[in-house]
Amino acid sequence: MGAPDLSPTTEERNPRMHLSEATGSTSLDPADWQAFRTQAHSMLDDMLGHIETIRERPVWQQTPDDIRATFNTPLPTEGTSLETIQHEFMTSIVPYTAANIHPGFMGWVQGGGSPAGFLAEILAAGLNANVGGRNQVPLDVERLVTGWMRDLFGFPASASGICLTGTSMANFVAVVIARYARLGANVRRTGLNTDQPRVTAYASRAVHGSLARALDMAGLGSESLRSIAIDAHGRIDLLDLQRRIAEDRAAGLSPFLVAGTAGTVDTGAIDDLDALANICAQEALWFHVDGALGALAMLSPTLAPRLRGIERADSLAFDFHKWGQVPYEAGFLLVRDGDLHRQAFESPCAYLSREEQGLAAGSLWPCDLGPELSRSFRGLKVWMTFKTYGTRKLASVIEHTCDLAQYLAQRIAEIPELELLAPVELNIVCLRYRFQADNDLSNRLNRALVVRLQLAGAVAPSTTTLNGKVAIRAAIVNHRTTHKEIDTLIEETLALGRELQPITPAARERFLLNQRLQSLDQQLSTKNLPEHDEVELLVERAMLLTQTGRTLEARSDHLRVLALNPKHKTNLLELGRLLVAAGQRNAARVVYTEAVKHYPDDLPSRVNLGSALLQTGEAAAAREQYEYVLSIDPNLPQAHGGMYYALGLLGEHAEAEVHRRKGFSQKNLFETPYRGKDDPISLILLVSSSGGNTPVEKLLDDQIFRTHVLVADFYDPTQPLPPHDLIFNGIGDVDTSTEALRAAESLVRGDSRVLNQPTAVLATSRRDNARRLATLEGVRTARTEIYPHSLLAGGEALAALERDGFRFPLLLRTPGFHMGQHFIKVDSPEHLHDQVTELPGAGREGSELLVIESLDARGHDGCSRKYRVMMIDGELYPLHLAISPNWKIHYFSADMKDRPDHREEEARFLTNMEETLGKRAMTGLHGVRDALGLDYCGIDFGLDPEGNVLLFEANANMVVEQPDEDPRWDYRRTAVARIHAAVRQMLTRIPVAV
């Protein structure tokens, strides 16, 4: 006999299949596993294909009635083939979801999932593990995730954690633990009773609604939540919080919990978590953090500093299914006191008793830490997502979404039709289309616009309401979203907004302009058009294009005319104006030179050439042009005004003063052209004839504002001001423009619609600031005095300086000059006389100089640092940091471009000003802000070794310049865009006249 056959039979290889086939078993396993596997692979391929090609599909589409009808059928008694079910799923379900995996989905802060997470869900469903407890490795996976989160957020080793459905449930669990901590174990047995004090909780009015529901479900009542005011950045108002806590204690109530938010649901604002932790420690309150949106910013080294204080929380709730890109649902709660967490939930049921060995071993179980006994294996998809991609990749996703949000904010700042409704802190942008209508109608139209965006299917934002205004809310969470989707959101919003825009007088005017442009286009398309006719049509078309704001097209037409007829006077003048507006001064000078060459007696050509020469620093050549004009028309105010500036630059101040009075006494009100399509905001810009004006013209978009430039020191105060919605006092330099500021003070007295009140600006001279700001905490000012030029050049100079407390080295500055011009350092007494005589004004009667104490702003590397922060509407915005080996630091002369390490340091300052400067400096800056009381100003300063602000200057005369196109400056563009957006928001928030 041969050897026996010991290979397993078919029944032994698959006894379940055998039993099912043989006995008609009730098992739900397939009779044909191979056919099932084929069908499963087909389903897998369908879903992978759906994810892979998601960009080709609409974000969302309306579900047809016939599709909805298929889900209104009776409970089936007989089964259906998987193939049929798969077809129904792919045709009737997949196309009609909210599609938050789509890169164009920007609503309601929802993550996009990931292919790895998708596979994890398949694996978890295959295991069908109930992870409420028992001795099984899925619990170890969740414990590992808890350990990872403890380490990430800096919690102690004794902290506990639990995977939950989301932050809403995590907030509830946290409230129950905090309730237990305050009211004790009896609350679990007897519930709340009248013997216990009424407890109160506190959160900003921007907190997620789930916190109030959590208090409700915990039996404490939603009215136990105190809604605390927020600041301009959407963060909880700490003073209001402390006041409300004190009031409740005085009323006999028992405060027990403060909830901070790391990323508010509306705007992504982050509360000052460190300060909240301090308040909770002082008041013995439970400190909870709702980090649903923003907590995972801890993964990013760039963003993590913004969450300082989160490591001090008693409990932290957050979602993996948002920024973590884990498939829904995947929330988490981290609790500092693991024992307290367990005591708040564990229940000694007989059927949950633990053993030393076997399946019931392995305590602590998740059911001891939350309300769920039946729990899915949520930890697997979290574990698998982190294992697959790693924290570095996930951090880059988070940073990318924040970068996209800043890009969107920058686009909004550049487009007059759009309005940014809140600062962009993380990855949420709240914008609004500027409908020319009252707020109620604007709200309805913006809601309608969002619905139409969703119906169009390319992008899907949602809405929220901020300060009574409906906002289009773009929450950029998806790792698939790119600049393309952001651009699509902008383009679609503009197109739909224009369709919905109510007709206004300005819109009708714009319509007529566009009609004329269409007529010109038709005429220019005529074959064999005579050259003369073509030139005249092109000139008219270019001027109309300029009027509608299409300046690039206008310049193209002007250049075509220049090629056809280089002598066309109107074309030369209009092209020159266009080039000046674009900042192309040298090109404008060339064009105006041509106009003067061909038309030597044309006064506008010569006046414009003189202005262009002044802008390129050629004062003597400008003087020649103005002299020629005045020889023909001795009363032309524009020529006198230009002559004043030219002579001033040439040092002929007495003669310059004559022309100043002749020029501006005749003409002191100038209206700039309005190029918008809707009714404008009427604005008066106050300026000084003697200079010292804030360069805000680039911020006054001519598609939003109709601006009257009013020369305050020559305007007749008996005449009414032009009709206006707003006045911006653009006179910023007290040292050169005191007379104009006094005049402006009189002109605007009693008008509440004024930004940068002249009275406040008058108090910002260098000497006044040095004196009144010296007492502020965290601020050091430089001793500053004004002396006659002649005194400092004479023999009594050293005695006078010593009497006033000055020591060498010291700084000398000629009043009225900026950007380091005529600003010198005198190292020793023997050099004083020679250096004083080199400064402008030497020998001129009445000339003065500023003497300033030299503050040492050098860091550990020997380089001096000068920070600039802009103050806009009461908020501080970092603008730049200049680092230089020289004592006189100017951004454009510092070696920033060639020093990557210096640019990296500046980037850190722009990204996280508070962390970079420190608490003491921030306290000082806030003190300076409050003392100045200006709506728009800049603060230049250094830091001393103790972290104090070394105040260089603080005034309304500082410039916010766009970086040039060199990609090395890309990191600065967001900061500049943020400031421009803040200025625009301030200017378009028109106050009510009283």
Side-chain angles (χ1 to χ4, degrees), residues 56 103 182 232 243 255 299 307 424 602 648 793 897 934 971 993:
E56 301 171 12
R182 173 49 57 94
R243 179 182 63 80
L299 293 170
L307 299 174
V424 178
D602 182 66
K897 182 173 287 190
L934 294 170
Y971 69 93

Side-chain angles (χ1 to χ4, degrees), residues 487-508:
D487 290 337
T488 299
L489 172 65
I490 290 287
E491 292 158 8
E492 294 282 325
T493 299
L494 289 173
L496 292 171
R498 289 162 185 165
E499 286 183 22
L500 294 168
Q501 182 72 275
I503 298 297
T504 65
R508 282 193 290 273

Side-chain angles (χ1 to χ4, degrees), residues 220-251:
L220 303 176
S222 59
E223 291 186 0
S224 65
L225 178 63
R226 301 293 191 256
S227 183
I228 306 301
I230 57 175
D231 64 16
H233 283 267
R235 302 169 299 206
I236 191 168
D237 185 321
L238 299 174
L239 292 177
D240 189 43
L241 170 64
Q242 292 171 302
R243 179 182 63 80
R244 297 292 294 277
I245 292 172
E247 288 177 353
D248 283 342
R249 288 200 193 281

Side-chain angles (χ1 to χ4, degrees), residues 120-194:
E121 289 283 66
I122 295 175
L123 300 179
L127 285 178
N128 193 33
N130 180 353
V131 194
R134 267 107 3 216
N135 184 7
Q136 52 176 329
V137 168
L139 269 67
D140 294 299
V141 172
E142 188 164 327
R143 289 171 186 141
L144 176 60
V145 169
T146 297
W148 286 348
M149 295 304 104
R150 275 197 303 259
D151 294 343
L152 176 64
F153 291 102
F155 272 52
S158 58
S160 56
I162 183 170
C163 290
L164 295 159
T165 56
T167 296
S168 293
M169 180 56 72
N171 282 341
F172 169 65
V173 173
V175 166
V176 171
I177 301 168
R179 182 192 67 173
Y180 180 88
R182 173 49 57 94
L183 300 178
N186 282 339
V187 74
R188 292 194 62 189
R189 294 189 295 272
T190 63
L192 300 175
N193 56 63
T194 55

Side-chain angles (χ1 to χ4, degrees), residues 687-760:
V687 298
S688 164
S689 67
S690 57
N693 298 309
T694 309
V696 297
E697 292 83 358
K698 292 180 182 178
L699 300 174
L700 301 178
D701 194 317
D702 60 9
Q703 296 193 48
I704 298 177
F705 301 101
R706 174 175 285 128
T707 303
H708 285 89
V709 180
L710 188 152
V711 185
D713 42 338
F714 280 95
Y715 190 79
D716 184 353
T718 65
Q719 296 299 312
L721 296 177
H724 59 277
D725 300 306
L726 188 66
I727 299 174
F728 192 111
N729 171 37
I731 310 169
D733 191 334
V734 187
D735 296 325
T736 60
S737 306
T738 302
E739 177 188 350
L741 282 166
R742 296 290 184 203
E745 194 176 31
S746 175
L747 289 172
V748 304
R749 187 172 288 122
D751 196 323
S752 64
R753 301 164 292 176
V754 182
L755 296 176
N756 271 13
Q757 281 282 356
T759 303

